[in-house]
Amino acid sequence: MKRLSHPALKPEHYKIAIIGSGPSGLSAAAHAAELGISHILLEAEQQPAHTIRKFQKGKLVMAEPRALPLRSPMSFSMGSRESILAKWDEEIVKYGINLRLGAQVCTIKRMAQGFVLGLATGETIHAEYVVLAIGLQGNIRKLNVPGEDLPRVQYQLDDPDEYEDETIVVVGGGDTGVENALALRHKNHVILINRFSEFVHCKEANLAALNTALKQGEMECRLSTYVEKVESTPDKAYPLLLSVRTPEGTEHIPCHRVIARLGARPPRDLLESFGIQFPSEDPAAVPQLTARYESNVPGLYIVGALAGYPLIKQAMNQGYEVIEHILGRPVEPADEALLRQKFAKIPYINSVEQGLTLIRQRVPLLATLSSLQLRDFMLESDIVALNPGDVVFRRNDYSTSFYCIIEGVVDVYVKDENGPPNFHLYTGEFFGEMGLISGRRRSTTIKASSHCLLLESPRQTMLRLTQSMVSVRRMIDAVSLKRTVQLHIGLSLSAAELDYLVRNAKFRQYAAGEVIWHQGDKADGLYLVRSGSVAISRLIGGREVVLSYVSAGNYFGEMALITGTPRQRTARAAVNTEVVILEAERVAEMMERNPDLLRQLNARYLENVRHELSDEIVQTSADSGNLIAFLVQQGIGEATDVLLIDETICTRCDNCEKACAATHDGTSRLDRKTGPVFDQIRVPSSCRHCEHPHCMKDCPPDAIRRSVDGEVFINDTCIGCGNCVVNCPYDVIQLASVDSGRKPPSLWQWLLFGRGPEPGGRAGAPSQNATKIAVKCDMCKDLADGPACVRSCPTGAAIRVSPQEFLDYAVWRKSKVG
Amino acid sequence: MDHQTFVNYKNYRYLKLILWMVLVAIGAYALHQPSFGAYGGTWLGYVLGSLSAAIVLLLLWFGIRKRQYNGIGQLKGWLSAHIYLGAALLVFATLHTGFQFGWNVHTLAYALLVLLVINGFYGVYAYLHFPRMITENLGDDSLQDLLNKIAELDRLARTHALQLPDDINAIVMKACQETKIGGNVLQQLTGRHPDCPTAAAVKVLREYGHDLKFGHPKLYRELYLIMLQKETLVARARRDVMLRSHLEVWLYLHVPLAVALLVALTAHVTAIFFYW
């Protein structure tokens, strides 16, 4: 690192002194350097960007909010900790930033002309303006118990691989704590301590990984547990003794190391000594600032995490803007131009502010969002203008956007889109919410009825919003409940009747395999499957035989309501399932009042009875039922398309794998040999294209998509973070090297001259620079004739079935194969 | 639900096709009365010969198409056609000869073709017969899984045997080190390993069991159980190798025969031009 220091013979004078060389400080200093303004960047530690240097080794650093443009001379995009730091180190030299390391500022005094900064070394620095960019990490929260500063009690973790065969207690249930614990568990005995009863502040991917690790006994966890003290012991085997208070009482844990990850707080005492005021006594409160980031001390500006902007990109933009503000130049927010472009579609909107106000007024769902939240939301959404008759989406499409109506009316068609619409939606209402929940095909067709302005938001954006805003989630849930009921059984009901029917309705979740009710239970209501699927079974000859299965968007449990008898079947969640339960009394009352509803449920009941008594099922159910149960157990209940191999004619030639590899850059995305077998049917390791893909849950670049035909695929924005690999419960996603320079093997070269590998084999090792990205089956969606694996099976052993077909397949197979 | 395999592809499309072709060929042969008797040089002989040669080329192309993973049509359709057309060749080629055989390249080509088709019949039998048996033998496991389990049992057996008398230790060590799964071609095809050290070890341990002179009865019983488990696994692994070799062995003949046929056929066709 090039150190540009000045001789400390006399007090130094600068126009701007920037304290703290994190993202915002570096960005401010780079902008000042770029403009040729005299400046100094003071860093207490021996390296710039100390906080990011302390991230876990190899950590992927996100560039959120994704759509926000970066406005800084310093570069920043999503990447590993190491790559970002290397780039910054280069740029510090490139811009000639006047950086002084090891310069801890102890005092800031306001003088008639600017400020005097006192350093710990005794030197003083004069500056006209001060930008405080010290973040929060200088004030990490400690355990606050006796022994908190003992050696081996640490508040950060750089490289988890440094530790081996230790008992390590990780304190803290946030993402950092969980990530640390997970990374340490491979080589150590890890105990994670969380003072809450759940991991509420944790990303879904981390939570899933944690649950798996706990289930497999790879680590331990104590919930609702507080640390009381840490003592060092003379015992060489366990140098620390940690005392914690659990719900069952005090527990003493002998260990080698305690790693506490409890977050950080503003260094209030220090800031107050600089004359900065806080709006409240809350220790987490940040200083009050003007719109130009100026504190109550004129000339003293605060940016970055300390100003309440914890995200790196926001902080870097602030660093740029604060310099502009100091120079007295007007500067508009970084996203202003983009937002202006979006609002240009509304002719009577002239400014972004006006546009945001319009959205708030027209769409109650978004009314409670803060300015910053709404701007971020708008950046990722689009305004769509439609003419009467334009189709937004069609029934059975696989699209997942969410829509709010800013202006106009849309028609909703449940079955026949050429007939009259079933109902309308008006300005301020929203639709497409089922796409957020079940990942199934669209259940309706939506067309513009008048000239319309819609706000179209990607699924991922909506999910993030519903996760952070409880009010938004509640509003969507309430509307979606009513719509689900309306679509599936209540089209003939009036609005008042519908309200009555859904009152007291409950959402309930079931884990895979959990029994919803047993044969013989009292009937408590009508069940609508919101996501997942349910297997309906009956005891035949002492064995539980699956008779049918109910997929998302359908209902079950009408039989007992109509006959007034206890449950005659057992209902069991085939996969993680969410249902809506309508109270039995209300359904019964509604059936009496509304003959259409009675007719509908009755028809469904008769159809079910007929189906179950039909000769096929009854004759073969005892055995094919078990095949159905097996397939459901393999996750076919949530699949939309699954590869099966009929082992009675599979000659193990591996042509399916070779075809897959030859079609996809040399890496097969299916493994024929692994996967369970039942009755000579193997479910190989290959993507099931789940209705609600687990892999999509936490994809930072939103690279996992579902095509209109239903294939779940990964596009080329994948960054290889591996979240999907962890999240897939069926182990069918892998990280593979992609190397565009690598040539596929030639069939003729191999056949005639024996040169190179056989087609479908490995095309040589990828080059050193090849990056790894996630790959999975995409059902060869770009090939006209369908998946290569099935087309290349010489005997017809490989087949693909949808959930609608697999029941038929099981029955057919029993009758043919015996 | 219609599950199409290479046998019933498109409701036996190619079986129906060749039945018609065979009927027409036999009919034509019966009606055709050439003045010099039936042989390959009559107009019908040329028609049947050309047809047979064209079919042979189409059948050879299967080897290419199998590796063109994005080629035309479904591979099971190609295999279905390959099998039925191959069977039909027996009729077409035989009629083409007019039952005129001799010690020459023409009859050699015919003989190779007949061998190839018969070999192919075995292939169809193998494809329909052995896959089911392989799964019945292996279940969810792969051969590698079995080998891993065997290696784990070996490790356990060795630790147990270390604490037992030397002669037992020696037998167990021998069983661990010298038990073979595959072996030579004959062993692979028969699945028989008469001198299997694991079987020998189990036998010896069983005999010791009748006459327990040494201590550690618990250790001994555990070792016996381990070796017994290993013997079962070894038997399964060997059966897998055997079934797979039965499934694949014919291909080692099918491909060279096909190449030989191509050579003989080329010679046969070239020679015919000299008769003109």
Side-chain angles (χ1 to χ4, degrees):
Chain A
M1 178 77 43
K2 186 176 162 187
R3 188 181 146 173
L4 299 162
S5 65
H6 286 244
L9 295 174
K10 56 178 183 178
E12 302 162 41
H13 288 270
Y14 299 98
K15 187 170 172 88
I16 304 173
I18 301 150
I19 307 173
S21 68
S24 57
L26 274 176
S27 172
H31 190 42
E34 181 181 50
L35 296 173
I37 298 168
S38 91
H39 69 281
I40 184 161
L41 177 58
L42 300 165
E43 170 58 54
E45 301 290 338
Q46 291 304 324
Q47 287 167 314
H50 189 65
T51 299
I52 294 183
R53 250 170 250 274
K54 283 191 299 188
F55 283 178
Q56 198 166 306
K57 192 174 172 187
K59 179 183 163 81
L60 184 74
V61 182
M62 301 290 171
E64 299 283 335
R66 221 167 297 156
L68 181 73
L70 177 72
R71 191 200 252 165
S72 166
M74 303 289 287
S75 56
F76 175 61
S77 56
M78 177 160 45
S80 70
R81 173 192 84 151
E82 288 74 11
S83 65
I84 290 170
L85 287 172
K87 189 86 188 140
W88 285 354
D89 284 346
E90 254 173 53
E91 289 175 339
I92 289 171
V93 178
K94 179 177 140 199
Y95 290 111
I97 293 176
N98 183 18
L99 169 66
R100 186 177 303 179
L101 297 170
Q104 191 187 352
V105 176
C106 301
T107 59
I108 301 177
K109 282 201 192 99
R110 170 130 185 93
M111 313 298 277
Q113 295 262 306
F115 298 85
V116 177
L117 281 57
L119 303 190
T121 53
E123 299 160 89
T124 53
I125 287 171
H126 287 215
E128 287 173 46
Y129 300 94
V130 172
V131 176
L132 206 50
I134 57 176
L136 299 174
Q137 295 302 312
N139 193 31
I140 287 178
R141 283 186 58 196
K142 292 195 173 175
L143 283 168
N144 201 19
V145 295
E148 62 175 11
D149 288 323
L150 284 174
R152 289 173 176 266
V153 175
Q154 60 196 57
Y155 297 92
Q156 65 157 311
L157 172 67
D158 179 29
D159 182 0
D161 291 336
E162 269 177 41
Y163 308 108
E164 240 183 280
D165 299 327
E166 292 193 357
T167 297
I168 302 180
V169 180
V170 178
V171 186
D175 277 316
T176 328
V178 172
E179 279 170 20
N180 284 179
L182 287 170
L184 288 164
R185 76 182 195 279
H186 300 294
K187 293 187 181 169
N188 303 282
H189 173 215
V190 175
I191 303 167
L192 179 63
I193 290 187
N194 181 6
R195 64 194 168 103
F196 298 105
S197 59
E198 284 176 65
F199 289 87
V200 278
H201 300 295
C202 206
K203 276 196 296 190
E204 215 170 323
N206 281 338
L207 200 56
L210 177 66
N211 283 335
T212 314
L214 290 174
K215 213 181 286 171
Q216 294 178 347
E218 294 170 345
M219 54 183 279
E220 293 176 43
C221 173
R222 307 267 191 286
L223 296 173
S224 309
T225 296
Y226 294 80
V227 175
E228 285 186 327
K229 63 179 173 192
V230 197
E231 294 160 295
S232 67
T233 64
D235 182 4
K236 281 221 171 106
Y238 293 101
L240 290 181
L241 184 69
L242 180 76
S243 306
V244 295
R245 196 173 75 245
T246 70
E248 288 84 39
T250 300
E251 184 186 350
H252 303 286
I253 307 173
C255 58
H256 295 90
R257 197 170 298 281
V258 174
I259 300 180
R261 304 311 303 258
L262 307 167
R265 282 186 174 161
R268 192 157 176 147
D269 293 345
L270 180 72
L271 295 175
E272 282 176 343
S273 77
F274 297 161
I276 295 166
Q277 288 166 3
F278 283 80
S280 73
E281 288 303 312
D282 178 4
V286 292
Q288 207 156 24
L289 303 175
T290 68
R292 298 163 66 231
Y293 315 130
E294 197 170 5
S295 70
N296 61 301
V297 182
L300 198 159
Y301 293 77
I302 300 179
V303 290
L306 188 54
Y309 291 80
L311 299 174
I312 295 177
K313 206 198 277 178
Q314 289 172 340
M316 291 181 73
N317 283 356
Q318 276 192 314
Y320 171 93
E321 288 160 19
V322 77
I323 298 294
E324 293 289 307
H325 287 312
I326 289 175
L327 296 177
R329 302 207 284 221
V331 52
E332 58 182 23
D335 51 10
E336 191 80 5
L338 280 174
L339 289 178
R340 200 178 300 130
Q341 222 174 343
K342 295 203 187 232
F343 282 117
K345 295 214 179 105
I346 313 180
Y348 49 86
I349 292 292
N350 301 318
S351 73
V352 171
E353 207 38 56
Q354 215 182 346
L356 294 174
T357 312
L358 178 85
I359 301 275
R360 275 214 195 86
Q361 283 170 350
R362 293 272 173 90
V363 186
L365 184 71
L366 305 175
T368 54
L369 267 63
S370 75
S371 203
L372 209 61
Q373 279 173 319
L374 188 57
R375 287 185 93 102
D376 283 348
F377 184 78
M378 284 302 301
L379 275 181
E380 292 179 16
S381 305
D382 267 314
I383 292 173
V384 192
L386 296 175
N387 292 316
D390 283 355
V391 176
V392 184
F393 54 70
R394 289 211 143 80
R395 188 178 148 82
N396 287 338
D397 276 0
Y398 263 120
S399 61
T400 55
S401 294
F402 180 91
Y403 297 87
C404 295
I405 309 176
I406 306 174
E407 193 175 297
V409 181
V410 297
D411 293 334
V412 183
Y413 302 81
V414 177
K415 289 210 169 74
D416 179 16
E417 65 172 73
N418 298 316
N422 294 86
F423 55 93
H424 311 282
L425 296 173
Y426 301 92
T427 302
E429 294 196 270
F430 55 85
F431 57 92
E433 74 285 348
M434 279 304 282
L436 304 181
I437 303 156
S438 70
R440 281 252 164 187
R441 293 169 187 268
R442 297 284 192 194
S443 52
T444 57
T445 297
I446 307 254
K447 287 187 197 174
S449 176
S450 62
H451 284 283
C452 280
L453 285 174
L454 303 181
L455 182 62
E456 179 180 0
S457 313
R459 178 171 187 269
Q460 207 73 4
T461 308
M462 252 349 264
L463 288 180
R464 268 202 301 271
L465 184 66
T466 51
Q467 273 159 21
S468 60
M469 298 277 294
V470 181
S471 61
V472 173
R473 190 170 61 227
R474 286 214 185 107
M475 219 183 272
I476 294 180
D477 277 353
V479 170
S480 129
L481 168 64
K482 217 190 269 184
R483 286 216 189 119
T484 312
V485 176
Q486 188 178 16
L487 284 183
H488 297 296
I489 57 169
L491 279 177
S492 59
L493 300 181
S494 69
E497 285 175 324
L498 191 62
D499 275 339
Y500 180 76
L501 185 59
V502 301
R503 208 171 301 151
N504 295 350
K506 282 177 292 215
F507 286 114
R508 197 177 290 165
Q509 275 105 6
Y510 296 91
E514 199 177 333
V515 170
I516 297 172
W517 70 64
H518 283 107
Q519 197 168 333
D521 282 359
K522 183 174 174 289
D524 58 343
L526 184 66
Y527 286 57
L528 277 73
V529 185
R530 210 163 170 240
S531 68
S533 59
V534 173
I536 305 288
S537 60
R538 196 150 58 118
L539 284 176
I540 297 181
R543 281 188 305 169
E544 192 174 321
V545 173
V546 177
L547 298 171
S548 62
Y549 114 105
V550 187
S551 57
N554 293 304
Y555 60 90
F556 61 103
E558 76 290 341
M559 201 177 262
L561 294 184
I562 286 181
T563 57
T565 54
R567 300 287 188 199
Q568 290 161 32
R569 313 270 180 264
T570 294
R572 190 189 288 277
V575 292
N576 290 344
T577 298
E578 185 175 30
V579 298
V580 175
I581 308 170
L582 299 178
E583 279 187 335
E585 297 74 30
R586 282 176 197 266
V587 177
E589 203 183 321
M590 229 10 97
M591 282 195 294
E592 269 176 35
R593 270 205 250 162
N594 187 316
D596 274 346
L597 181 64
L598 178 62
R599 214 170 296 134
Q600 195 190 340
L601 291 179
N602 213 18
R604 167 71 184 251
Y605 161 67
L606 292 174
E607 172 66 16
N608 275 349
V609 173
R610 191 193 64 76
H611 192 238
E612 285 183 16
L613 291 179
S614 72
D615 42 6
E616 262 186 347
I617 297 263
V618 171
Q619 278 169 19
T620 57
S621 59
D623 291 308
S624 67
N626 286 337
L627 179 58
I628 298 168
F630 163 75
L631 293 174
V632 166
Q633 200 186 350
Q634 296 313 315
I636 293 178
E638 64 173 342
T640 62
D641 184 289
V642 68
L643 180 66
L644 300 180
I645 292 180
D646 180 348
E647 298 246 316
T648 60
I649 47 168
C650 170
T651 63
R652 278 75 171 170
C653 66
D654 283 336
N655 230 35
C656 46
E657 286 186 14
K658 289 178 192 162
C660 185
T663 318
H664 296 111
D665 199 34
T667 307
S668 173
R669 288 132 188 239
L670 78 98
D671 186 349
R672 178 192 62 73
K673 291 173 277 301
T674 60
V677 188
F678 181 87
D679 199 13
Q680 298 271 353
I681 289 280
R682 188 186 289 269
V683 184
S685 295
S686 171
C687 179
R688 287 122 163 91
H689 301 272
C690 301
E691 64 172 54
H692 189 184
H694 304 267
C695 52
M696 271 191 198
K697 270 183 205 159
D698 187 22
C699 175
D702 204 6
I704 305 183
R705 300 297 175 89
R706 191 191 276 282
S707 74
V708 177
D709 295 326
E711 302 93 355
V712 176
F713 64 98
I714 305 178
N715 68 23
D716 37 6
T717 58
C718 172
I719 51 167
C721 68
N723 281 359
C724 53
V725 180
V726 176
N727 281 337
C728 172
Y730 306 109
D731 277 341
V732 299
I733 308 184
Q734 48 178 321
L735 290 176
S737 301
V738 281
D739 190 348
S740 49
R742 196 169 52 180
K743 269 202 195 151
S746 152
L747 170 60
W748 292 105
Q749 289 265 347
W750 170 78
L751 193 70
L752 298 178
F753 310 110
R755 276 194 214 135
E758 185 182 356
R762 266 241 158 261
S767 71
Q768 292 242 312
N769 306 333
T771 47
K772 280 201 163 184
I773 59 164
V775 297
K776 66 179 278 298
C777 165
D778 61 359
M779 287 238 271
C780 297
K781 64 182 180 59
D782 300 326
L783 298 182
D785 299 325
C789 51
V790 172
R791 281 206 302 133
S792 300
C793 176
T795 61
I799 56 165
R800 285 193 166 271
V801 292
S802 69
Q804 288 80 20
E805 292 162 341
F806 90 81
L807 202 67
D808 292 346
Y809 178 68
V811 172
W812 172 86
R813 196 180 144 76
K814 199 66 213 166
S815 65
K816 294 280 178 191
V817 183
Chain B
M1 166 109 199
D2 181 22
H3 183 183
Q4 294 190 354
T5 67
F6 67 102
V7 179
N8 67 359
Y9 183 74
K10 300 260 175 182
N11 201 14
Y12 300 96
R13 172 193 279 181
Y14 296 105
L15 176 62
K16 289 175 187 164
L17 176 78
I18 64 138
L19 284 178
W20 277 112
M21 286 168 70
V22 163
L23 278 179
V24 170
I26 292 177
Y29 188 85
L31 295 175
H32 184 55
Q33 297 293 336
S35 38
F36 298 105
Y39 79 111
T42 66
W43 70 263
L44 182 65
Y46 276 123
V47 169
L48 286 170
S50 309
L51 177 70
S52 301
I55 290 177
V56 166
L57 291 178
L58 190 72
L59 300 195
L60 283 168
W61 187 256
F62 180 78
I64 307 293
R65 172 59 188 83
K66 180 174 174 254
R67 294 172 177 85
Q68 287 175 330
Y69 298 106
N70 294 315
I72 303 160
Q74 303 224 10
L75 193 62
K76 60 186 168 200
W78 277 83
L79 183 60
S80 190
H82 184 88
I83 289 166
Y84 289 122
L85 287 171
L89 264 185
L90 278 186
V91 177
F92 300 147
T94 307
L95 296 182
H96 167 68
T97 64
F99 301 94
Q100 310 278 329
F101 302 111
W103 294 103
N104 53 36
V105 72
H106 314 294
T107 303
L108 173 67
Y110 176 76
L112 284 171
L113 186 133
V114 172
L115 277 178
L116 189 56
V117 175
I118 291 170
N119 173 271
F121 284 156
Y122 172 79
V124 175
Y125 165 77
Y127 273 20
L128 292 174
H129 189 66
F130 295 115
R132 174 192 290 269
M133 293 165 77
I134 291 176
T135 313
E136 279 164 2
N137 178 45
L138 279 189
D140 283 357
D141 294 321
S142 67
L143 181 59
Q144 192 54 48
D145 291 339
L146 294 189
L147 297 181
N148 291 346
K149 284 182 193 170
I150 291 171
E152 178 59 22
L153 289 175
D154 275 347
R155 198 185 58 74
L156 274 176
R158 273 203 293 261
T159 16
H160 276 72
L162 276 179
Q163 301 167 52
L164 292 171
D166 282 352
D167 49 345
I168 292 193
N169 191 21
I171 296 167
V172 170
M173 287 304 276
K174 188 175 156 70
C176 290
Q177 286 164 355
E178 293 174 21
T179 303
K180 276 195 245 161
I181 304 292
N184 58 35
V185 177
L186 202 65
Q187 283 170 329
Q188 287 193 32
L189 281 171
T190 59
R192 296 225 176 92
H193 292 252
D195 304 325
C196 173
T198 300
V202 170
K203 197 164 162 247
V204 171
L205 283 171
R206 192 182 299 127
E207 282 161 9
Y208 266 102
H210 296 302
D211 180 23
L212 262 185
K213 287 186 196 127
F214 50 86
H216 313 293
K218 181 168 173 282
L219 212 57
Y220 157 78
R221 273 198 301 273
E222 280 173 7
L223 178 64
Y224 180 63
L225 198 66
I226 291 167
M227 293 306 286
L228 214 52
Q229 284 171 338
K230 183 185 163 190
E231 195 186 20
T232 322
L233 286 177
V234 166
R236 273 175 70 199
R238 282 181 184 150
R239 184 168 166 75
D240 186 58
V241 172
M242 182 192 80
L243 290 170
R244 269 168 214 270
S245 58
H246 283 224
L247 182 65
E248 286 165 14
V249 66
W250 64 280
L251 271 173
Y252 288 93
L253 215 57
H254 202 68
V255 177
L257 272 177
V259 175
L261 173 62
L262 182 65
V263 173
L265 196 63
T266 313
H268 161 67
V269 173
T270 317
I272 286 165
F273 286 110
F274 286 101
Y275 291 147
W276 276 357

